[in-house]
Amino acid sequence: VAEAPAPPTLPPDVELEAALAALAARAASLDGDPRPFFTDLTHAAKRFLERHLGEPVLEWTTFETVRRLRELGAEPPREAALPELLAGADRVKFGRAGATHDEAGRALASARHLLAWGRVRMAARAAAEKAAERAAAKGEAKAAGRAK
């Protein structure tokens, strides 16, 4: 019996957007232990970066993530506050610090800025690829014309 094909994977930005919507609902009622919220938020942000950049971001520590993105020239803008987002989440996840609704809201806002930055990069990459394809097709057409 053939197995059913796996459902198509969502694009990285759509996946992050859905995760942020679900997390926003959770942030509104953030009571008790905030670690699961911050764990899921940082996982979603790092998974987006991993899928968008093709780098093993989920395997990196906060320090490695910030440093390697800078080295790759893929550091998100200051508005995304990625170092603060990751370090703040680390304090909650590993230092057992508490977190308020406002802190959760700020972390979500940072992740939304990360999403917006990623979408701009994705659109620029798609435009560059399309321009390269057009240039290649134009070059092939010229070569075919000369061969006649």
Side-chain angles (χ1 to χ4, degrees):
V1 175
E3 290 185 31
T9 303
L10 293 174
D13 60 322
V14 175
E15 181 182 68
L16 179 56
E17 186 173 46
L20 294 179
L23 286 161
R26 288 173 51 194
S29 61
L30 189 65
D31 292 319
D33 186 358
R35 286 179 294 172
F37 171 83
F38 281 92
T39 297
D40 293 347
L41 177 60
T42 56
H43 183 271
K46 289 178 81 172
R47 178 167 162 77
F48 169 73
L49 287 168
E50 182 165 297
R51 292 189 62 214
H52 172 59
L53 301 171
E55 297 288 335
V57 180
L58 286 168
E59 297 174 14
W60 298 342
T61 64
T62 292
F63 177 78
E64 289 172 322
T65 300
V66 172
R67 186 193 62 181
R68 290 183 178 174
L69 291 179
R70 188 176 305 127
E71 290 170 354
L72 291 167
E75 188 175 21
R78 198 168 274 153
E79 295 83 20
L82 184 64
E84 293 82 3
L85 168 65
L86 297 176
D90 285 351
R91 281 190 293 281
V92 172
K93 294 185 311 185
F94 306 119
R96 302 202 187 271
T100 65
H101 295 285
D102 288 342
E103 290 167 326
R106 281 193 298 276
L108 279 168
S110 291
R112 287 187 189 104
H113 281 292
L114 180 69
L115 174 61
W117 165 81
R119 283 185 164 155
V120 168
R121 284 179 53 96
M122 291 167 72
R125 182 186 304 150
E129 288 171 358
K130 187 172 270 187
E133 288 171 7
R134 281 195 305 267
K138 190 175 182 180
E140 289 173 11
K142 271 187 177 176
R146 282 185 289 215
K148 287 184 180 182

